[in-house]
């Protein structure tokens, strides 16, 4: 092995060609596994699925290997755009492999903590290439299919693995109408499937990331989400959303989608912000000292606190705000929860 001195432009081209070659090789390997999985007889399908599942879980480089991206090499040079294109194909191929794997799994598959590893492939792909229509369509369809197929997991805590990423991507791409419409459509169908459990998980997973400060530079942090973003998503649940990307065409379930729990079979699909407030109040009364109760309090603050900027007002009536705050003051006094009373006293009214 010898070191060779080259100029910056030549070195950049060599790195781009090497990265492109490695991506093509990895795409070929993933396509091979995908083809083998799709052509496996049903009699041996379960054995192959368990083998692939165990090998991926034990692999130290999974899911990092599926998400590695050389963005620094995609900005310049004649190989920049081809490298970005092959990277997109690489991510999409990995997603298709996992999608084929999940579709052939039974709905009672014994998932544990390793489910997060597989979902992280889709989460990372969505973050890296959210503005690519094919990636966005495939990711949203996979999320819907996964929530439908593994109903029991997602009715308990499955949404905690995907909603933070989806909401962050939505928050940082509000300028993209196609992306926001696709995510709003997906969120609405999440609600149609799981109703109250979905809303509670949504509040719980995003409460720690809500930015309640007035700092102008806080929006630069990818992990923080403004309250207006969550409120906007909640409002879209009660509205009609168009499937402009044809997301449901990639899903293997009956359309139109209905509630998966028979308890909600006769309920309407209507939604209002008042129902979100009712859920938060219910959790507060049931377990006022729990961690979930504090998360619901943050959600209440998002929904009813009056912002100083009138242009960001959320059009709640003053009487409604007064009633809700008085109810919580009464709950806090009855239960003698000092932290609840202090938080309520910090709320400002117009």
């Amino acid at each position: 092995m010898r070191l060779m001195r080259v100029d910056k432009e030549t070195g950049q081209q060599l790195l781009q060609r090497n990265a492109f070659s490695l991506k093509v090789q990895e795409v070929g390997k993933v396509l091979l596994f995908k083809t083998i999985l799709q052509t496996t007889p049903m009699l041996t399908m379960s054995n192959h699925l368990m083998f692939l599942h165990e090998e991926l879980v034990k692999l130290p480089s999974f899911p990092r290997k599926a998400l590695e991206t050389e963005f620094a090499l995609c900005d310049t040079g004649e190989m920049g755009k081809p490298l970005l294109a092959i990277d997109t194909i690489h991510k999409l191929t990995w997603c298709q492999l996992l999608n084929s794997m999940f579709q052939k799994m039974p709905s009672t598959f014994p998932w544990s903590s390793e489910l997060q590893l597989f979902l992280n492939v889709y989460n990372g792909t969505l973050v890296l290439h959210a503005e690519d229509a094919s990636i966005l369509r495939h990711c949203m369809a996979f999320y819907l299919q996964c929530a439908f197929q593994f109903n029991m997991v997602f009715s308990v805590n499955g949404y905690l693995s995907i909603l933070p990423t989806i909401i962050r991507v939505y928050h940082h791409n509000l300028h993209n109408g196609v992306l926001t419409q696709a995510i709003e459509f997906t969120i609405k169908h999440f609600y149609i499937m799981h109703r109250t459990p979905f809303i509670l998980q949504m509040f719980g997973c995003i409460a720690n990331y809500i930015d309640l400060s007035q700092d102008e530079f806080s929006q630069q942090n990818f992990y923080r989400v403004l309250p207006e973003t969550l409120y906007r998503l909640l409002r879209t649940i009660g509205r009609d959303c168009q499937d402009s990307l044809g997301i449901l065409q990639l899903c293997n379930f009956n359309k139109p989608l209905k509630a998966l729990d028979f308890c909600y079979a006769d309920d309407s699909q209507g939604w209002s912000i008042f129902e979100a407030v009712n859920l938060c109040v219910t959790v507060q009364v049931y377990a006022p000292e729990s961690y979930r109760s504090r998360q619901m309090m943050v959600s209440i603050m998002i929904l009813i606190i009056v912002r100083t900027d009138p242009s960001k007002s959320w059009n709640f009536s003053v009487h409604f705000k007064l009633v809700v705050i008085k109810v919580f003051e009464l709950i806090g006094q009855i239960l003698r929860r000092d932290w609840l009373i202090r938080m309520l006293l910090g709320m400002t009214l117009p």
Side-chain angles (χ1 to χ4, degrees):
M1 181 181 295
R2 294 184 302 174
L3 292 177
M4 182 176 60
R5 182 181 180 86
V6 296
D7 58 272
K8 183 177 180 180
E9 183 177 353
T10 304
Q12 184 83 355
Q13 293 178 358
L14 292 175
L15 289 174
Q16 288 177 334
R17 292 175 182 176
N18 183 58
F20 188 89
S21 177
L22 291 176
K23 289 291 182 184
V24 171
Q25 294 177 25
E26 291 185 17
V27 168
K29 294 177 183 178
V30 176
L31 287 176
L32 175 62
F33 282 114
K34 177 186 172 184
T35 304
I36 294 174
L37 188 63
Q38 291 178 341
T39 56
T40 299
M42 292 303 298
L43 294 177
T44 58
M45 179 62 71
S46 59
N47 294 333
H48 285 202
L49 286 175
M50 290 300 299
F51 173 78
L52 182 59
H53 170 267
E54 292 177 359
E55 290 300 314
L56 289 176
V57 170
K58 292 188 295 184
L59 195 64
S61 59
F62 180 80
R64 175 181 55 82
K65 194 67 174 178
L67 299 174
E68 287 182 342
T69 304
E70 298 81 8
F71 278 128
L73 301 177
C74 299
D75 297 333
T76 59
E78 60 181 10
M79 289 290 293
K81 291 184 178 180
L83 184 58
L84 180 61
I86 194 63
D87 182 77
T88 305
I89 296 174
H90 173 257
K91 303 297 182 292
L92 185 60
T93 306
W94 262 104
C95 290
Q96 290 174 348
L97 172 63
L98 296 185
N99 185 41
S100 300
M101 177 180 171
F102 274 49
Q103 286 185 356
K104 298 182 183 301
M105 286 181 173
S107 59
T108 57
F109 189 85
W111 287 110
S112 58
S113 59
E114 74 272 5
L115 177 61
Q116 181 71 61
L117 295 176
F118 294 90
L119 294 178
N120 280 344
V121 175
Y122 273 86
N123 292 338
T125 301
L126 183 62
V127 171
L128 294 172
H129 299 285
E131 295 187 346
D132 186 281
S134 59
I135 292 287
L136 178 64
R137 179 174 182 248
H138 190 82
C139 288
M140 295 299 107
F142 173 80
Y143 289 143
L144 287 175
Q145 181 67 40
C146 197
F148 177 86
Q149 184 173 352
F150 304 108
N151 175 32
M152 294 302 298
V153 176
F154 278 80
S155 63
V156 178
N157 57 8
Y159 287 110
L160 302 180
S161 301
I162 61 176
L163 280 180
T165 300
I166 294 176
I167 296 176
R168 288 168 186 159
V169 171
Y170 178 85
H171 171 66
H172 290 278
N173 293 275
L174 291 175
H175 60 278
N176 190 327
V178 176
L179 184 145
T180 54
Q181 188 178 26
I183 292 182
E184 289 169 359
F185 177 82
T186 305
I187 292 293
K188 179 178 177 63
H189 281 73
F190 283 156
Y191 172 75
I192 293 175
M193 282 191 288
H194 290 105
R195 306 296 174 92
T196 300
F198 164 70
I199 296 297
L200 291 176
Q201 291 182 61
M202 184 179 185
F203 284 158
C205 70
I206 206 64
N208 294 333
Y209 304 107
I210 293 295
D211 186 6
L212 297 175
S213 66
Q214 300 295 329
D215 187 5
E216 296 180 357
F217 298 98
S218 61
Q219 299 184 27
Q220 303 298 326
N221 190 346
F222 174 78
Y223 296 97
R224 309 299 291 180
V225 177
L226 292 179
E228 291 87 346
T229 302
L230 180 60
Y231 178 77
R232 178 174 172 174
L233 279 175
L234 290 174
R235 289 291 301 272
T236 58
I237 293 177
R239 299 173 180 173
D240 293 332
C241 299
Q242 299 296 325
D243 187 10
S244 58
L245 293 180
I247 296 173
L248 292 182
Q249 296 177 5
L250 300 180
C251 300
N252 297 325
F253 48 69
N254 295 329
K255 293 90 169 177
L257 198 57
K258 298 180 180 180
L260 302 182
D261 194 331
F262 69 91
C263 297
Y264 303 104
D266 298 329
D267 293 352
S268 64
Q269 296 182 4
W271 164 262
S272 67
I273 299 297
F274 297 100
E275 296 184 29
V277 175
N278 290 336
L279 287 176
C280 295
V281 172
T282 303
V283 174
Q284 284 284 336
V285 175
Y286 179 76
E289 290 185 340
S290 64
Y291 183 70
R292 177 59 64 87
S293 178
R294 294 174 182 266
Q295 293 174 339
M296 295 302 108
M297 177 57 69
V298 174
S299 302
I300 282 287
M301 293 173 64
I302 295 171
L303 295 176
I304 66 176
I305 287 181
V306 179
R307 302 184 63 86
T308 56
D309 186 358
S311 64
K312 296 181 180 179
S313 177
W314 295 338
N315 298 325
F316 280 102
S317 68
V318 176
H319 296 290
F320 171 73
K321 298 170 187 174
L322 287 170
V323 169
V324 173
I325 292 179
K326 289 298 182 182
V327 168
F328 274 96
E329 286 180 350
L330 180 60
I331 294 173
Q333 292 173 1
I334 293 175
L335 300 177
R336 296 181 180 180
R337 310 302 182 196
D338 295 336
W339 66 269
L340 181 61
I341 297 175
R342 287 197 300 269
M343 185 174 291
L344 289 167
L345 291 178
M347 293 183 176
T348 58
L349 293 176

